[in-house]
Amino acid sequence: MRRRQRGLQFYRKKKGLSMQAVKEVFSWIVLSVLAVFLAFMVIWAVGLRTNMIGVSMEPGLTNGILVNRLKYRFFSPQTGDVVVFLPNGNQNAHYYVKRVVAVPGQTVLIQDGILYIDGKAQENEEMDLIASAGIAENEIKLGKDEYFVLGDNCNNSEDSRSANVGPVLRSTIVGEAWFHFGNGTDGWGLIH
């Protein structure tokens, strides 16, 4: 027999898991897994960070660069892109960061300090006259998958004009530089 307790008695309902609580917990788990997956994909695609060595891309680019390694799996580098590559595919070298000025099939010539692509002078108020033409003093016809790159600060840059770098093969291009972490004077942001 059940014994009666003295005093006030309140009906106590046993608490159990409701379907709404189960759905809420399940939705949080799914969202967490999705967030981890998306973070992994972003790190895989853009997880490479490199630093600028030297002043070849100043004043626009200094310090850290984030590299989009995914873009060139689907698209080819275009004129004006800032690419990150290993010179001659040397895995022991540091990454070079330079701007593409000519793409496969084009001709490159530097004469009297002026860059000519397919015979047309490239007018650029930001670019100084090029002091050293290097290997581009004679016209160069770019082959399939070859790119001619220059530093934005071309008179302080080791780039495709140098015999030890030369035209850059697509297979040595790691990706596109798309975001930079500047110092106090130039800030940070997307690379144009």
Side-chain angles (χ1 to χ4, degrees):
M1 250 193 345
R2 218 169 135 187
R3 218 170 160 189
R4 276 184 112 181
Q5 293 181 346
R6 293 183 175 224
L8 295 174
Q9 297 290 319
F10 294 99
Y11 176 71
R12 292 184 183 182
K13 183 178 177 182
K14 288 185 176 180
K15 292 188 177 184
L17 288 177
S18 69
M19 282 306 287
Q20 185 176 357
V22 170
K23 286 180 182 178
E24 183 76 19
V25 168
F26 184 72
S27 69
W28 278 104
I29 291 171
V30 168
L31 285 174
S32 298
V33 168
L34 184 62
V36 168
F37 175 74
L38 288 175
F40 174 77
M41 291 304 294
V42 167
I43 289 170
W44 177 79
V46 193
L48 179 64
R49 180 176 187 247
T50 188
N51 288 316
M52 295 293 304
I53 295 178
V55 296
S56 69
M57 294 298 286
E58 286 185 0
L61 297 178
T62 58
N63 292 343
I65 304 287
L66 283 181
V67 180
N68 180 345
R69 296 187 297 180
L70 193 59
K71 180 178 180 180
Y72 295 143
R73 292 183 190 266
F74 302 105
F75 304 103
S76 296
Q78 300 296 311
T79 301
D81 287 357
V82 177
V83 296
V84 176
F85 65 97
L86 289 168
N88 301 314
N90 182 355
Q91 296 295 324
N92 296 323
H94 63 82
Y95 292 109
Y96 279 44
V97 180
K98 307 292 179 201
R99 190 173 304 276
V100 175
V101 295
V103 296
Q106 292 185 314
T107 59
V108 178
L109 175 68
I110 299 175
Q111 194 171 46
D112 298 325
I114 298 173
L115 172 68
Y116 293 88
I117 306 294
D118 290 335
K120 291 183 181 177
Q122 303 301 300
E123 300 294 329
N124 187 346
E125 296 87 32
E126 295 176 11
M127 184 182 277
D128 295 331
L129 287 176
I130 300 171
S132 171
I135 64 171
E137 68 183 353
N138 298 315
E139 188 173 78
I140 298 171
K141 171 96 170 150
L142 296 176
K144 181 180 179 186
D145 293 332
E146 286 185 333
Y147 297 85
F148 199 87
V149 298
L150 290 176
D152 288 352
N153 184 0
C154 61
N155 290 321
N156 292 305
S157 177
E158 182 179 32
D159 46 39
S160 288
R161 297 170 296 158
S162 303
N164 61 331
V165 176
V168 176
L169 295 174
R170 180 168 180 175
S171 61
T172 65
I173 296 176
V174 176
E176 179 183 33
W178 71 276
F179 193 86
H180 74 98
F181 304 99
N183 58 24
T185 58
D186 65 353
W188 54 270
L190 294 175
I191 297 172
H192 305 289

